[in-house]
Amino acid sequence: MRVFLYSDEQAASVEAARQVAALVRRKPAAVLGLATGGTPLALYKELIRQHGQEGLDFSGCTTFNLDEYAGLAPSHPMSYHHYMRENFFEGVNLPAERTNIPDGLAEDIPAHCADYEAKIHSAGGVDLQILGLGSDGHIGFNEPTSSLGSRTRFQTLTENTRTDNARYFASLEEVPRHAITMGIATILEAREIILLAFGAAKAAAVASMIEGPLAAMVPASALQLHPAVRVFLDEGAASLLTKKDYYRYLQQQCAGQ
Ligand code: GLP
């Protein structure tokens, strides 16, 4: 894992966006794996800015989102379909037919999940997966104790995650209890991964993910198995790391190249 430390969320997001944009310029038919939540908002904003002001062209790209709440229609204001339209899709030129998000209303969920995996495969696999991080170390909606070999599937949310995500809903009661999520093995198949984490509430999960043992209790620790992960952190999220000086040294070397 390569760890990049920034003074704040904005600086980290702009650099992460620059790396996504570089891929899209290098490979106009790139397949992007997308995340939701508060964390990638500034990254999406910067990509939209580059689209508007610098001609960054997404017309050849395909996207696959990590997850969706089970039981929420795409039109529901709290659905990840709605989030993606509002925060990214409406600001860029992605063809709607090449944006993919699990269907929270799928009737046959196992068949829908198998189909989602097949679609990723037939698109050539994900070139770059963007990830946020749950405060309990989850990625996508792969909760602690998820199999490190898991694929896209139905998942029951923990109370910790429901409580964390209640800030986006009118009340905790309204937060769905289930989701459809790419599995950990699905995520690990992406060629490159960029994970963003901001704020002290993520510090313990960040430290376990990077410096802790590989463990199903910390799903993000599975990223230790992946050869091309870059982690973008602000000071709060990095605050419990023990090897910060080493990461800073590597980051400086990287900047000098
Ligand atoms: C949610 C999403 C994750 C996201 C995480 C962090 O549960 N399923 O993909 O990374 O929680 O959310 P936030 O960025 O809002 O802190």
Side-chain angles (χ1 to χ4, degrees), residues 1-38:
M1 255 185 251
R2 294 302 301 270
V3 181
F4 299 93
L5 308 174
Y6 294 88
S7 54
D8 58 46
E9 175 171 346
Q10 180 61 17
S13 300
V14 167
E15 182 51 34
R18 203 172 287 153
Q19 298 195 14
V20 177
L23 169 68
V24 171
R25 290 199 172 91
R26 195 165 70 237
K27 185 174 181 183
V31 178
L32 303 175
L34 302 179
T36 49

Side-chain angles (χ1 to χ4, degrees), residues 34-41 66-69 80 83 130-136 138-143 157 161-162 164-165 167-168 179 181 195-198 202:
L34 302 179
T36 49
T39 305
L41 285 173
L66 282 168
D67 48 16
E68 177 58 286
Y69 287 113
Y80 287 163
Y83 169 105
I130 296 161
L131 294 176
L133 179 67
S135 67
D136 59 0
H138 74 241
I139 46 176
F141 267 130
N142 294 284
E143 296 286 31
L157 304 182
T161 293
R162 292 188 64 245
D164 278 358
N165 289 3
R167 67 189 192 276
Y168 301 119
T181 181
L195 182 141
L196 307 161
F198 305 129
K202 302 289 174 73

Side-chain angles (χ1 to χ4, degrees), residues 184-207:
I184 295 175
T186 320
I187 292 169
L188 290 179
E189 280 172 1
R191 290 178 192 95
E192 290 178 76
I193 296 176
I194 283 180
L195 182 141
L196 307 161
F198 305 129
K202 302 289 174 73
V206 164

